[in-house]
Amino acid sequence: MSSYKYILGNSLNKLKNIDNDKFKLIITSPPYNVGKEYETKKSIEEYLNEQNKILDELIRVLHPKGSICWQVGNYVEKGEVFPLDYFYYELFKKRNLQLRNRIIWKFGHGLHSSKRFSGRYETILWFTKNNNYTFNLDLVRVPSKYPGKKYFKGPKKGQYSSNPKGKNPSDIWEIILNDWENEIWNIPNVKSNHVEKTEHPCQYPIELVERCVLALTDEEDWVLDPFAGVGSTLLACLKNKRNVIGIEKIKKYKDIGLKRITDFEKGLLRFRAVEKPIYDHTKSKLSQMPLELK
Ligand SMILES: C[S@@+](CC[C@H](N)C(=O)[O-])C[C@H]1O[C@@H](n2cnc3c(N)ncnc32)[C@H](O)[C@@H]1O
């Protein structure tokens, strides 16, 4: 039976009480400094300076075979875009972490921009502490495009050419804002019509975390989310027999997260099913051009 701790407080202070090398995976979506209700917007320098302080602590508590998955978007000031992963890459690299993938998490809906192209992706920087790291590719394979295809020449002629367990999901995870869009990795972003939505303004989908948890940890390993919000990481871990610690500074979010965990334990929490087929939007009335606009 896996366990969890949901700690209320500032992650920098709370991490000081945690043993070295504890976590096989640290996965989080930090504040982006965009003025959400849980943050005060600062200059990019001040913001990074503050975040910088926590990184040494995170690396101290990261297991030698461990990974950090840092999920970020853009910070925007007076219309100018600052891609946060660009800045975080430098901060992690300076501490000798090694980048394994810069995963593009693409989604089809969002705010429409009028002075630049509408932003439709965020990224996950996946770093490891060392060269020897846990990576369970088989647990996150996706169906091959042509599972029946065979080699037509050479020593393997006549044998199936693709892995029967499926293919590598690649570093582009097309994730949607709403269930009616098409996607590559079939993980919708969490918005108001989503079964996982709470009143937190920036939840990420449990399914997104599950992929990282399955690939980068083994059962009973420890996972940390230092900016835990309403507990999506905790739920992804408990669902998959991983131990987890979440740190969140706002009590309201922790309380919602605790309720979600209780609902999960009672079998009442609604999840979007992993790999659930996506609704075909082309069949919806809303996707037909209205007669008066033709
Ligand atoms: C982008 S949200 C993460 C949401 C989370 N991924 C989820 O699905 O619920 C960032 C969270 O970090 C919290 N936070 C910001 N600064 C913090 C700090 N120094 N220590 C702990 N939590 C913090 C915010 O209150 C917010 O809930």
Side-chain angles (χ1 to χ4, degrees), residues 6-7 9-12 28-32 36-39 50-51 54 71 190 198 200-206 209 225-233 247-250 253 260:
Y6 210 143
I7 302 172
N10 186 302
S11 44
L12 182 61
T28 201
S29 178
Y32 293 4
K36 295 283 176 191
E37 63 178 30
Y38 51 76
E39 62 187 355
E50 197 170 290
Q51 291 297 101
I54 198 182
Q71 193 275 303
V190 180
T198 76
H200 195 289
C202 289
Q203 267 173 262
Y204 57 21
I206 294 170
V209 189
D225 186 341
F227 303 105
V230 289
S232 311
T233 300
I247 309 175
E248 169 54 47
K249 70 172 184 179
I250 295 186
Y253 298 147
R260 293 172 89 200

Side-chain angles (χ1 to χ4, degrees), residues 265-279:
E265 287 170 342
K266 291 183 186 158
L268 299 176
L269 190 75
R270 295 174 66 214
F271 293 105
R272 188 180 184 281
V274 175
E275 303 289 333
K276 180 184 152 195
I278 294 301
Y279 180 74

